[in-house]
Amino acid sequence: MIYPIVIFGSEALRKPSVEIAQDYPELKKLIEDMFLTMQAAEGVGLAAPQIGKNIRLFVVDCSPWGEEDESCKDYRRAFINPEIYEVSEETGLFNEGCLSLPGLHEDVHRPLAVKMRYLDENFEEHDELFEGFRARVIQHEYDHLEGKVFTDRLSPLRRQLLKSKLLSMAKGKYRAAYKTK
Ligand code: NI
């Protein structure tokens, strides 16, 4: 099933998400559907709040970046109850977009590397260092679980300049090539 994607202005994007228990009903099916939803919208990441579910789960597919970044080749993963516990001091700029903010692309500063603990779809524990594109997409999706979107990370001046655009987006003035709600 392909879910409609929740757009900026929705409460679901602002609520912090809760941890998932191992007996969460039909979790594998939900993860599968999130991959389908992300692919249909041609995204590289999708967090559960973006389909209106405030649970700590996101999926990533950075294979489109596989040519530029070897570690992204065929990289498709689900992340459950992730916890970023260390970030690099060094930051970098990258032009980000978000399926929940259609048509908007902005340069965002973020740490270049992060360490994160998480569970995979089989509830196996992992503890990994992420760099390059994977560090970028993971931090973006992780923010969604905290009720944040990438525009929150822009300078106050830049946010001010985008204010009217974001307001009209929240009122339904946007174009997206995928199902939204
Ligand atoms: Ni996003």
Side-chain angles (χ1 to χ4, degrees):
M1 166 191 176
I2 290 173
Y3 283 91
I5 290 173
V6 161
I7 299 299
F8 182 84
S10 158
E11 181 71 3
L13 293 177
R14 290 310 193 183
K15 268 199 287 188
S17 289
V18 299
E19 294 217 334
I20 303 174
Q22 201 158 355
D23 60 357
Y24 189 91
E26 296 191 74
L27 187 60
K28 286 210 170 157
K29 166 82 174 125
L30 175 62
I31 289 169
E32 208 177 287
D33 287 346
M34 281 180 64
F35 274 113
L36 287 176
T37 303
M38 175 173 63
Q39 278 154 13
E42 296 184 4
V44 290
L46 182 73
Q50 295 183 275
I51 56 161
K53 294 185 188 294
N54 286 106
I55 52 174
R56 296 184 73 82
L57 163 67
F58 61 79
V59 295
V60 162
D61 180 359
C62 21
S63 45
W65 291 330
E67 289 208 350
E68 290 152 85
D69 182 336
E70 187 69 23
S71 68
C72 289
K73 225 173 176 186
D74 302 319
Y75 191 85
R76 293 169 87 251
R77 294 281 191 286
F79 300 86
I80 297 168
N81 299 341
E83 186 201 349
I84 292 178
Y85 65 91
E86 205 179 309
V87 300
S88 63
E89 268 179 44
E90 210 186 338
T91 61
L93 271 182
F94 187 81
N95 196 257
E96 293 189 23
C98 180
L99 296 176
S100 293
L101 287 88
L104 201 70
H105 296 273
E106 292 288 326
D107 287 339
V108 183
H109 266 292
R110 292 190 192 269
L112 290 177
V114 297
K115 283 184 182 168
M116 186 173 78
R117 283 186 278 265
Y118 65 94
L119 303 168
D120 62 25
E121 65 273 34
N122 300 313
F123 273 77
E124 303 273 350
E125 280 180 49
H126 300 264
D127 188 340
E128 277 177 58
L129 168 71
F130 296 94
E131 296 172 291
F133 285 118
R134 292 188 306 154
R136 178 59 61 162
V137 64
I138 277 166
Q139 289 177 81
H140 176 115
E141 300 314 323
Y142 190 86
D143 271 358
H144 280 301
L145 306 185
E146 306 286 305
K148 292 188 193 132
V149 293
F150 77 90
T151 49
D152 301 341
R153 300 212 172 259
L154 302 174
S155 70
L157 175 65
R158 192 69 201 138
R159 280 208 308 271
Q160 189 59 38
L161 289 169
L162 288 173
K163 209 173 173 180
S164 65
K165 202 172 182 180
L166 288 170
L167 270 174
S168 44
M169 190 188 293
K171 285 180 189 154
K173 283 185 197 150
Y174 60 85
R175 267 192 226 171
Y178 40 87
K179 242 198 311 178
T180 62
K181 72 170 182 189

